[in-house]
Amino acid sequence: MELLRKWLGHPEEIYNLLRFKMGGCRAVMPRIDPDTLGRGLRTCYRYLNQTSRSFAAVIQALDGELRHAVCIFYLVLRALDTIEDDMSISLDVKVPMLHEFHSYLYQPEWKYMESKEKDRQVLEDFPTISMEFRNLSKVYQEVISDICHKMGVGMAEFLEKKVDSQHEWDKYCHYVAGLVGIGLSRLFSASELEDPVVGQDTELANSMGLFLQKTNIIRDYLEDQLEGREFWPREVWSRYAKKLSDLAKPENIDMAVQCLNELITNALHHVPDVLTYLSRLKNQSVFNFCAIPQVMAIATLAACYNNKQVFRGVVKIRKGQAVTLMMDATNIQAVKAIMYQYVEEIYQKIPSTDPSSNKTQQVIASIRAMSLPGGPMVSRHHYSPIYLSCAMLLAALSWQYLSTISKATEDYVQAGEN
């Protein structure tokens, strides 16, 4: 019944869940016909589905040859990441592999058969991936190889190094996510679906990645602690506790929440760059690809802000909320309205005694200024009363059915939460 009460409080989300399940998802992520692909590309898309069904869905929605370039880009970085994550590989082997990985793209026979990671198939059949990489236009190859090289060097740097300062936090997030944003932006421009400035403005592209990565790091505090990983910057958490793990202790919860709020405030500083970046995009498929993760991130930060649950369990946005964001975030004005909505939600929760309250208010003011350039706030939802009434009725009669939403939708929505 708790699920039913949650839905009754958000009838527009029930309507969107139904709309998404009954075909609306195809407007956001249409499928590619595998019969139009050669054997190598079919294999690559199969690996893409196996390693991340959700990314497979949004990548396939991209237009033209860009989708193949992004598919290969994803698989190459997945292979690199698999090596970095594999704790069974000794450092004296792993570090040179990370440094040299970009060169393996041009070695037709290179593969690695000793990984114990779940995604090891991308290493064991790397010859198929590298072959399709070499089949891409040279302009795409140059981008993917360059980003792969820079990311490998960065991963090697942080293998035995903890994130101490906020500068190092930005640097780590740049290596693992900012470079992805920069690489994707260069691919967008190389495809000519977007203007050259999109790929040239690396600062904005980097912010796109940092906003997503910082959101993940903030939300995943407890999961990372349980698995022995630490990504919160010492410079910040050391002001609130002697050890990062101490923030999870009940007696430290007030200080823990203050630390959380400071990091969320830090992440919010990337939102103006995100809005500027998205405002430059012209191609609809590229816009959807870029905007959906960003609105998921701002919704996640709003859910985490001043929330003790971050230190006790998992904080996630609702399934219907995630689907609604996916369906809505199709143009820059809608994205600005979404950003406004969630920073207002954060603003309403700022404790007057919070040490970061002034900084939080200041960054929210800058986001407000960009989100509402010339008029009052307009609601994003324009559903007729009959739709909402039907949604309420469906919630009462069919809530168990709705809780078993299709696997593909579950996968995509969970990716937004992750």
Side-chain angles (χ1 to χ4, degrees):
M1 293 304 294
E2 178 62 28
L3 182 61
L4 176 58
R5 284 193 293 271
K6 194 178 292 186
W7 277 338
L8 288 172
H10 302 275
E12 78 285 352
E13 293 179 8
I14 307 166
Y15 168 59
N16 277 331
L17 276 168
L18 283 171
R19 191 158 62 107
F20 192 87
K21 185 174 176 62
M22 297 174 68
C25 57
R26 293 292 156 249
V28 179
M29 45 181 187
R31 290 175 177 167
I32 192 171
D33 182 1
D35 293 336
T36 64
L37 306 175
R39 180 181 298 178
L41 272 177
R42 279 203 305 272
T43 300
C44 287
Y45 279 101
R46 187 172 79 249
Y47 291 153
L48 186 61
N49 275 287
Q50 290 170 352
T51 54
S52 178
R53 290 169 59 90
S54 51
F55 275 111
V58 292
I59 287 171
Q60 289 178 77
L62 290 168
D63 289 339
E65 61 183 15
L66 178 62
R67 71 168 66 96
H68 299 326
V70 174
C71 172
I72 301 304
F73 186 40
Y74 175 87
L75 291 177
V76 168
L77 297 188
R78 172 60 63 186
L80 179 66
D81 191 55
T82 300
I83 289 174
E84 193 264 347
D85 285 343
D86 195 332
M87 302 305 292
S88 70
I89 306 175
S90 63
L91 288 182
D92 60 334
V93 173
K94 183 182 292 188
V95 170
M97 285 181 72
L98 292 174
H99 278 276
E100 298 300 322
F101 195 84
H102 67 288
S103 68
Y104 303 152
L105 293 166
Y106 295 98
Q107 298 177 29
E109 303 303 320
W110 187 90
K111 57 186 174 182
Y112 186 74
M113 305 299 293
E114 299 173 35
S115 176
K116 305 297 188 292
E117 292 291 297
K118 62 180 178 63
D119 293 329
R120 59 185 176 273
Q121 73 268 26
V122 295
L123 293 171
E124 294 173 349
D125 192 18
F126 198 74
T128 297
I129 297 170
S130 67
M131 177 185 69
E132 291 303 328
F133 163 82
R134 293 187 299 275
N135 285 339
L136 295 172
S137 299
K138 289 291 184 183
V139 66
Y140 296 133
Q141 291 184 37
E142 290 170 1
V143 171
I144 295 171
S145 176
D146 180 52
I147 296 298
C148 184
H149 185 197
K150 291 174 179 174
M151 187 176 290
V153 171
M155 285 178 168
E157 178 182 338
F158 278 90
L159 277 177
E160 291 187 296
K161 176 180 174 182
K162 289 190 175 181
V163 178
D164 285 328
S165 67
Q166 293 186 67
H167 172 75
E168 285 183 336
W169 197 37
D170 282 355
K171 189 175 183 182
Y172 171 76
C173 292
H174 164 74
Y175 283 139
V176 300
L179 283 172
V180 179
I182 291 169
L184 286 168
S185 300
R186 289 170 60 187
L187 293 177
F188 298 156
S189 293
S191 72
E192 299 185 355
L193 294 176
E194 298 296 344
D195 291 335
V197 68
V198 172
Q200 292 166 356
D201 196 332
T202 57
E203 184 175 346
L204 293 188
N206 188 58
S207 276
M208 293 283 285
L210 263 61
F211 185 58
L212 300 182
Q213 186 66 22
K214 288 182 178 182
T215 297
N216 289 344
I217 288 173
I218 290 167
R219 185 206 54 195
D220 292 342
Y221 165 84
L222 192 60
E223 178 185 329
D224 287 337
Q225 281 293 301
L226 294 173
E227 297 188 12
R229 301 189 299 254
E230 293 190 355
F231 299 113
W232 284 27
R234 177 187 294 271
E235 180 184 344
V236 175
W237 64 255
S238 63
R239 293 199 289 270
Y240 301 92
K242 291 183 178 179
K243 295 187 297 183
L244 182 56
S245 58
D246 288 346
L247 295 178
K249 296 178 179 178
E251 63 269 26
N252 297 329
I253 191 63
D254 290 339
M255 296 296 281
V257 169
Q258 290 178 5
C259 180
L260 168 71
N261 291 347
E262 181 173 345
L263 290 180
I264 289 176
T265 300
N266 177 295
L268 288 174
H269 281 88
H270 298 292
V271 173
D273 280 354
V274 168
L275 292 174
T276 300
Y277 181 97
L278 293 174
S279 70
R280 290 176 174 174
L281 301 179
K282 301 185 301 182
N283 179 270
Q284 187 66 57
S285 73
V286 172
F287 186 90
N288 293 350
F289 181 90
C290 294
I292 290 172
Q294 302 294 331
V295 296
M296 296 284 192
I298 192 67
T300 299
L301 288 183
C304 289
Y305 185 82
N306 210 47
N307 189 349
K308 298 176 182 179
Q309 187 62 23
V310 171
F311 303 95
R312 297 170 177 167
V314 180
V315 175
K316 290 187 175 183
I317 59 178
R318 299 178 302 276
K319 295 288 190 292
Q321 183 182 5
V323 167
T324 297
L325 289 170
M326 290 163 52
M327 303 287 278
D328 283 359
T330 57
N331 63 77
I332 188 60
Q333 291 306 319
V335 170
K336 286 181 176 181
I338 292 168
M339 292 290 187
Y340 184 98
Q341 172 188 332
Y342 285 110
V343 296
E344 284 300 300
E345 186 176 311
I346 292 172
Y347 184 83
Q348 295 302 321
K349 294 192 290 186
I350 298 174
S352 59
T353 57
D354 190 272
S356 303
S357 61
N358 287 338
K359 290 182 179 178
T360 310
Q361 291 168 356
Q362 287 170 9
V363 70
I364 286 176
S366 67
I367 297 169
R368 281 173 172 162
M370 290 193 69
S371 299
L372 296 174
M377 177 62 185
V378 178
S379 172
R380 292 186 295 113
H381 303 299
H382 301 284
Y383 304 110
S384 76
I386 190 169
Y387 278 136
L388 297 185
S389 298
C390 288
M392 295 281 281
L393 180 62
L394 282 166
L397 298 177
S398 308
W399 65 275
Q400 285 184 322
Y401 169 74
L402 285 173
S403 69
T404 59
I405 190 169
S406 69
K407 182 67 170 69
T409 304
E410 283 280 322
D411 287 339
Y412 190 84
V413 170
Q414 286 168 6
E417 296 167 350
N418 292 333

